Every structure is written in structure tokens, then in C-alpha cells.
Amino acid sequence: MASAIIVLTGTAQAQPIEPTIDLSDASYPVVITPTRLRQSLADVPASVTIITADTLRRYGINRIEEALRMVPGMAVSKSTGNEFRINFHGTNAFSPRRLNVLIDGVSAYMPAFSQVQWSLLPVVLDDVERIEVIRGPDSSSYGPNSMMAVVNILTKHPKDVERGLVSVTTGSQGLLEGTARLATTWGSTSVRATVSSRHDHGYDRSSSISNGRDGTSLNRFNLRALQDLGGGSSLDMQAAYVGGTLENGIGDNFQATPPDRQLNSTVFSSRWTKSLSSVHEVQVNVSHAATTAKQQWLSCWPQAAYWPEVYELYQSNPRLVNDILAGRPPTGGSARDMELLGIIIPRLISQGGLQASLAMTTCGQGNQDGSESRSQVEVQDTFVVSDQLRFVAGLGLRHQRASSETYFGGAVSNNVQWVFGHAEYRPLEWLTANVGGYGESNSLSGSTFAPRLAFNARLSEHQTIRAVVSKGTRTPDLFEERANWSYTVRDLSVPIDGSTTGRLFTAAQAKSGLASEQIWSRELGYLLMLRRIGLTLDARVFDDRLSRLISERLVATDFSPDNSGSVRLTGAELQLNWDLSDRWSSWASYGYLLNREASHIEETVQYSRHSGALGVSLALSDAWRTSVAHYMASGDGVHELRYSRTDLTIAHAFALGTQPGSASLTLSYLGTPSVNTYQDGPRYFTSTYNRQFSIHGQVRVAF
């Protein structure tokens, strides 16, 4: 289909095998995710959105994050120029952790802070074949952290790209991006290599970031090689690197220099596939991902913030320290607390009192440096028992590690083991049952199990309905379980007790013992596919109950995560794809969401009752095409602003000698050029563009 959003799935972690029964028919294509089994779309137990490479170019989209605005129910917020906060169905937006992202089956989810660093995704947009989004829990297939949804970014096979490609994109906000790709084949081995460099200056202004200091400067390299080993075996290998600078405007309230982050990320993966027969396949996946961050800045705190007595008192009784800072008489506390007060208060008086003491500062280098890594191996077995029964099963092992003087006081690690399985059973020609589950044992946070049960019934040649009950989970991350959070500042301009190294009094330590977050999701779906007129319609209603949520915002002055959070999400989603003719194509998506019974205000921070998108594309001739798209979200969260954007893209295909090329120009109108990011209670910060209109253009030449 040449359309923008297609309601079907494609290859994920597994390579398809040829089953004894061919389920493709005139109405429904064959798909393989979200169950890891090759299935007819009519039998898949989920709602799935796919955004193709043609769509990304046709509508002038130059970031994966922006493409996700097409997905019904997806909440996308750009809090700073280099930080996207993306959640399916919103909820907590401080550090979105309930969405998993795969790149060719390898998770980009890092273990230290349970988050996807969108700016560091090791993929170049020109290499993307399509983006598949499983809308709903898929922990039964991909484990914890696939709690709310899964985004699967599938890249192009080296055999399916041009021998060479050069593209340049430039536009508003200082955007400049260049990409070069080479591909070749040697015998049974196909290889492609891509390099890319992207720079922009982010927002123009921010109420919490000096002069809107949130620019991005990143370089990427990606290498993919596929080799046919013969005898039904193949090997798919990838290596990727991302490195550069993310500008950051604020590290603490006493900073003298900005705390920009220097980042380096590497990913290595390989997938060996062996077809034992036409109905039996084995696959072994091995991967390693590592990220290092260097973030340092000059900070000038009051000298008293480094006194060891203040540190000890804060750890024992933070209320007493807060009383002193507020100018209130400190009362209560243990005998040791009183002893410490007997040292601190005379010392403050000797410096002229509280206000005079706060003015006596010392400057030094603070840091939020750190590294994290994950190494894993997984074995998967797919087998077709009969025309009625097929299954996939496997097991895996992962080692996770994080190291940071500031966040962990050193290094922490854990081991994760898992098993999974999924079976498709067809007792009747028109009825399919899907049952699956994923069990995991985590050396820090215990065990979890996520099941899924679904029934799909074909009403006619072109219609099917589905009923799905599934559970999703999110495992507490290493920071939530093992944080030892304090700031050591070096090279102090005024030594403290004779030392040029000091430790700030604010510190926090995790209590551990947290349980996994969970969601129970119930869905009723309807699929209509009329290929004769180019129409695909997917609709669903859902009732999601989230519990045991870790909702609190984790800060050094109040680090007390627990599992007391809960919220209920109900609503409906619709996506439509319609190829009106050979020249016209269109798509639409809409999500209606009710966020109810939230136990914490944090679970309502990112929430839009109404959200959606609409796109129309027209081929004016063989060489010219124009496309219009509109994106909106009602912005009903705490301090959240309404979002609306309209894009007009004009594209032209040309030949540079004998080499094919294309040029496109996209003009965007942003209805509200500002975004509010919730801090706590009545506080929020605002990032703003100076102009509502922006423009960017791209030129691509293949050879």
C-alpha cells in the first residue's frame, strides 16, 4: 500500500518461517508481530500502527519522535530542544518509562533509569524501512518495560537500498543534518554503512534554561551486514555508534556554568537463524549496548552546604535543616540531632548569621557522570505443529550494570532471566485463539509474569473482531532500587575544613524492595479491510487499570519511591487509511482518553482527552507531489498546553545526470509555539519558539 498509516505488522525479533497453512488471502496480509508468530492480520491479538519510509519522506518528517504523533493515543511532548517525553496514553511525564523501543528487535531501553533516550537512538532516519507501534501492553512477548506499548523501528535490508545515498536537510531552529550511505554485496554477504551528523539550537527561550540553551550536536554511524551461511542458516549483524553534545541549561540553583552533557553510545547485535525444516526454525540473538555520559559544571554553593555536620543532620532529620534554612527555630529531634545543632548554629553565628553565611560561597566542579550497559542472549524456537496449532517459545539471560559516583556511589548491577511462549490455536476456520506469557526473574526486584489471552473472529471475508485481555509490567530500575545519590564537588575555591573536595548536604538512598508496576488491559477491536477501494479501518475500545505505580518525582531532597500509585485509563481509538486513487491517498487517527481515579497528581501530568492527526497527499504529476498533515492534542494535563501543528510539504523528483534525486520543502505552522513542563504543585517551566512558522528542506541524491 502507498498509504501513510497501515494497520498491520511486519518482521520484529523473529524471521518468518513458512507454515504448512498459508493464511494470506485476498482480504488480509500475513504479519509476524506482536506475537513473534507468522499470522494473518485477522488473527493478530493487538492493534498495530505502521508508519512507512515513504510516509516519513512524503510528509516531511525528519525525526522518529515527530512521526509518533501519527499514532492514536500517543502523547508526545518536546520539553526542551533535545528532550522528548513520549508516553502511550500519557500519565507520568517526568521520566517516561512505560514504553519499550526496539530497533530491529534490539531494545533501546537502558537499565539505570528505565528510560529511552530518544536523542541517542542508534538509527538514521534514511535507514528506516517502517515504524511499527503495538498499541497496548505487550509484556507477554517482549517482557517488562513493554508495559503500555512497543515501538519497533525496522531498518532497511542492505540489498534493498541504493549503492550510495547523500542527503542534506536544513531549516529553522538552526537545523543542519547530513547523511551519507554506501551499500554493496560480496558473494553471499550484503553490507550497508551509514554516517550522519545533526545539529540544531532547540527552543529560542525557556523560563528555566538560560537563553533557551538546549541545542543538539550528534554524530551517528550504523553498519549492518547480512550473510547467507547456506543450509537454511543466516547471520544478521549490526554495529552502531552515537556521540556528541546535548546542551543543558540547568544543573542546580547555584551553577556558574551550564551542565552540557557529552554522550557516547554503542550497540552491537547479531542474530543467527537456522531453518531446521519448513515448519521448524531456531534463532539465537546476542546484543550488547553501552552508554557513557560526562556532565560537569561549576557551582557556587554556600560554604555551610559542605559542612559535615549539616550533611549528617540532613540524613538524620532533614526537617531540622529545612527549619534552619527557612529561619525557623529548629525543635525536636534525637540527642545526636541536638548535638549537631549545637555545632551548626554557633558556626553560623560566627559567620554573621544565616543570611551572611549563605552569601559566603565556594565554587567547585560538580558532576553527573555515569555509564550503563546491558548484555543479553536469547534463544527462540518456532514450530508449526499442524494447520490448527503453532507456537513460539524461548528463554534469555541479561546482565545489566550502571556506574556513577553521583547517582550510585559506585557501581551496581543485576541479572535477569526469562522464558516466554505463545501459541495460536484455530479450533474453527473463522475463530483463532492466542495465548501467551512471559515470566522473568530479576536478581534485584523479584519475579514477574505477564499473560495474554485473545480471541479473533472473522465476521466475513473483510471483517474481523478481537477481544484481548493482557497484563503488562515495568520492573523498577537500578536507580529506584539502588540509588546512593549525593554530589561530590571538587577543586573548591575556598577549602572546607582544609579540603578542596566537599560533599553537598543533600543526599538520598534507596530503600529497595519495590514491586513491579503493572497494568491489566481489556480491549475490544474491529478491523475492516476493503482492498478493492483501498480502505483499511481499525477501531478499538479499551479499559486499562494501572496499579503499583512508582509515581513520585524522585529528587535528592525527597527520595521516597513506593508502589502506592494507580490510575484507570479508558477510551477509544480509531485509525483509517484510504487510498482514494492512484494519485490521492489519505490517513487519519483519533484517540479519546479518560484519565480517572489517579492516586497522584503526577499520573495526570501528560494527558489529552482528545488527540489525533490527519494527512492527505496528492501526486500532481510523475515528478511533483504535495502533502498536508495536521496534528493535535487537547492538552488536559496539569499545566499542559494544547498542541496543534499543520505541515505543508511539496516534493519534486529529478535526475542529476543519470542519478535519481528528490527535493522537498516543508512549511509548518505551530498553533501554540510554547510548551509547559510540570515541575511540582504550582510550578512549571515554559519553552518557546519566537515564531509560529518554521521551514525545512531536504535534498537527496542516490547513485
Side-chain angles (χ1 to χ4, degrees):
M1 294 184 181
S3 50
I5 297 183
I6 307 175
V7 193
L8 50 82
T9 58
T11 306
Q13 285 191 329
Q15 297 293 327
I17 65 173
E18 292 301 326
T20 56
I21 179 172
D22 184 3
L23 295 181
S24 59
D25 56 33
S27 300
Y28 299 99
V30 172
V31 296
I32 197 167
T33 52
T35 66
R36 306 195 191 203
L37 272 177
R38 183 178 174 88
Q39 293 180 296
S40 165
L41 179 60
D43 301 324
V44 172
S47 296
V48 181
T49 299
I50 287 187
I51 305 168
T52 67
D54 286 341
T55 299
L56 297 174
R57 288 194 298 269
R58 185 173 295 177
Y59 289 92
I61 296 170
N62 60 23
R63 296 193 67 138
I64 290 173
E65 301 93 324
E66 294 293 347
L68 295 180
R69 296 189 190 275
M70 294 181 171
V71 180
M74 190 68 72
V76 180
S77 177
K78 188 179 182 183
S79 59
T80 67
N82 53 45
E83 183 182 3
F84 278 84
R85 300 185 180 185
I86 301 177
N87 279 303
F88 187 63
H89 289 167
T91 64
N92 196 322
F94 293 126
S95 180
R97 323 176 212 216
R98 298 165 187 162
L99 174 73
N100 200 359
V101 176
L102 310 174
I103 301 176
D104 289 323
V106 178
S107 179
Y109 204 99
M110 296 302 287
F113 301 98
S114 277
Q115 62 184 1
V116 175
Q117 297 190 49
W118 293 95
S119 294
L120 291 184
L121 290 181
V123 62
V124 175
L125 200 63
D126 279 310
D127 286 341
V128 173
E129 177 66 26
R130 64 189 182 276
I131 304 170
E132 301 180 1
V133 182
I134 302 170
R135 294 183 287 117
D138 205 15
S139 292
S140 61
S141 291
Y142 299 103
N145 308 327
S146 304
M147 178 177 174
M148 301 287 287
V150 173
V151 176
N152 193 8
I153 303 168
L154 301 172
T155 65
K156 297 174 181 177
H157 191 291
K159 288 184 177 180
D160 296 335
V161 300
E162 308 91 343
R163 183 172 58 89
L165 173 73
V166 175
S167 72
V168 177
T169 303
T170 186
S172 303
Q173 287 82 54
L175 172 63
L176 179 61
E177 181 173 16
T179 300
R181 181 177 66 211
L182 293 174
T184 188
T185 298
W186 296 297
S188 60
T189 303
S190 300
V191 180
R192 65 161 166 77
T194 309
V195 294
S196 177
S197 182
R198 181 185 177 99
H199 310 269
D200 65 66
H201 65 55
Y203 282 103
D204 296 307
R205 291 175 286 117
S206 175
S207 59
S208 71
I209 300 175
S210 176
N211 298 321
R213 187 182 177 84
D214 56 354
T216 300
S217 180
L218 290 174
N219 301 311
R220 286 180 170 83
F221 171 76
N222 186 281
L223 177 70
R224 185 178 182 187
L226 286 92
Q227 183 172 10
D228 184 354
L229 302 175
S233 296
S234 64
L235 185 63
D236 185 349
M237 298 171 290
Q238 291 198 53
Y241 166 80
V242 183
T245 301
L246 300 183
E247 291 183 344
N248 201 323
I250 184 166
D252 62 53
N253 294 327
F254 298 92
Q255 70 187 45
T257 60
D260 295 343
R261 289 195 295 161
Q262 309 294 323
L263 297 163
N264 290 280
S265 178
T266 56
V267 178
F268 302 95
S269 66
S270 65
R271 176 183 300 123
W272 176 72
T273 303
K274 172 67 174 179
S275 294
L276 302 177
S277 71
S278 62
V279 295
H280 193 189
E281 178 189 89
V282 175
Q283 190 178 102
V284 179
N285 298 282
V286 179
S287 66
H288 174 77
T291 298
T292 61
K294 193 173 209 45
Q295 185 178 24
Q296 300 181 354
W297 66 97
L298 183 67
S299 194
C300 300
W301 284 71
Q303 297 175 27
Y306 297 99
W307 293 350
E309 297 85 5
V310 175
Y311 177 88
E312 183 180 347
L313 181 61
Y314 190 84
Q315 300 311 298
S316 171
N317 195 332
R319 179 183 59 82
L320 293 179
V321 176
N322 291 330
D323 285 343
I324 294 174
L325 294 175
R328 297 187 296 265
T331 58
S334 66
R336 177 58 178 166
D337 294 343
M338 295 299 103
E339 182 180 349
L340 292 169
L341 284 172
I343 300 173
I344 295 170
I345 292 178
R347 195 169 180 179
L348 290 174
I349 293 174
S350 70
Q351 292 187 344
L354 176 63
Q355 296 304 317
S357 180
L358 292 177
M360 299 176 65
T361 62
T362 179
C363 300
Q365 291 287 335
N367 80 84
Q368 291 181 157
D369 298 348
S371 64
E372 55 185 318
S373 65
R374 52 182 290 163
S375 303
Q376 75 174 49
V377 57
E378 182 183 80
V379 179
Q380 176 177 302
D381 186 276
T382 307
F383 189 66
V384 179
V385 179
S386 68
D387 291 353
Q388 287 75 41
L389 178 63
R390 301 177 298 156
F391 70 85
V392 59
L395 52 86
L397 174 66
R398 179 168 63 247
H399 176 72
Q400 304 180 147
R401 185 179 187 274
S403 176
S404 172
E405 173 191 65
T406 298
Y407 290 120
F408 297 103
V412 297
S413 63
N414 71 327
N415 295 308
V416 183
Q417 307 167 59
W418 66 89
V419 296
F420 65 90
H422 184 91
E424 178 203 76
Y425 178 56
R426 303 184 62 180
L428 301 169
E429 184 179 351
W430 56 270
L431 181 65
T432 302
N434 286 279
V435 59
Y438 190 111
E440 180 176 284
S441 174
N442 188 307
S443 61
L444 284 184
S445 54
S447 301
T448 62
F449 178 68
R452 174 170 56 196
L453 175 64
F455 293 95
N456 293 52
R458 300 196 188 193
L459 303 179
S460 69
E461 181 183 1
H462 307 293
Q463 300 178 83
T464 183
I465 59 172
R466 64 182 175 272
V468 186
V469 177
S470 60
K471 179 185 178 182
T473 59
R474 183 188 76 83
T475 304
D477 58 44
L478 294 176
F479 184 64
E480 291 165 326
E481 286 281 2
R482 289 292 185 270
N484 186 3
W485 189 4
S486 64
Y487 289 87
T488 298
V489 181
R490 293 178 171 80
D491 301 324
L492 292 173
S493 58
V494 178
I496 302 298
D497 296 337
S499 176
T500 58
T501 298
R503 182 163 63 168
L504 288 171
F505 71 94
T506 56
Q509 192 160 0
K511 303 298 191 295
S512 73
L514 293 169
S516 293
E517 297 183 328
Q518 71 175 27
I519 175 177
W520 277 102
S521 176
R522 297 162 181 82
E523 170 187 334
L524 289 175
Y526 171 77
L527 175 66
L528 172 67
M529 182 172 281
L530 300 175
R531 286 189 163 184
R532 181 176 56 83
I533 61 172
L535 175 68
T536 301
L537 171 70
D538 182 271
R540 75 170 189 137
V541 293
F542 58 88
D543 182 11
D544 295 345
R545 297 172 186 258
L546 288 71
S547 61
R548 303 196 308 199
L549 302 181
I550 303 171
S551 300
E552 298 85 352
R553 184 183 180 212
L554 304 181
V555 294
T557 54
D558 184 17
F559 191 92
S560 54
D562 59 37
N563 289 110
S564 63
S566 63
V567 67
R568 183 179 180 185
L569 305 173
T570 59
E573 292 166 4
L574 175 73
Q575 60 182 16
L576 171 71
N577 180 88
W578 199 352
D579 294 333
L580 302 171
S581 69
D582 293 339
R583 298 175 57 203
W584 287 90
S585 65
S586 64
W587 54 267
S589 65
Y590 172 71
Y592 175 76
L593 177 68
L594 290 177
N595 181 307
R596 300 186 291 169
E597 304 170 16
S599 60
H600 295 66
I601 190 174
E602 288 82 3
E603 297 299 343
T604 64
V605 168
Q606 193 175 36
Y607 165 47
S608 289
R609 178 168 295 187
H610 303 279
S611 62
L614 173 67
V616 178
S617 183
L618 170 64
L620 302 173
S621 67
D622 291 340
W624 289 92
R625 175 178 287 274
T626 183
S627 304
V628 178
H630 180 73
Y631 312 90
M632 63 79 62
S634 57
D636 301 296
V638 182
H639 302 306
E640 196 172 16
L641 297 177
R642 177 184 175 86
Y643 181 88
S644 67
R645 192 182 86 221
T646 303
D647 294 349
L648 170 64
T649 300
I650 299 175
H652 176 59
F654 62 86
L656 190 63
T658 60
Q659 310 304 325
S662 64
S664 66
L665 189 68
T666 300
L667 178 66
S668 299
Y669 175 77
L670 197 59
T672 303
S674 298
V675 60
N676 286 347
T677 301
Y678 175 88
Q679 291 293 93
D680 58 69
R683 299 192 304 164
Y684 61 93
F685 71 82
T686 303
S687 298
T688 304
Y689 293 118
N690 288 337
R691 298 175 179 85
Q692 290 182 275
F693 282 99
S694 65
I695 189 171
H696 71 265
Q698 182 185 67
V699 177
R700 304 171 81 249
V701 178
F703 56 89

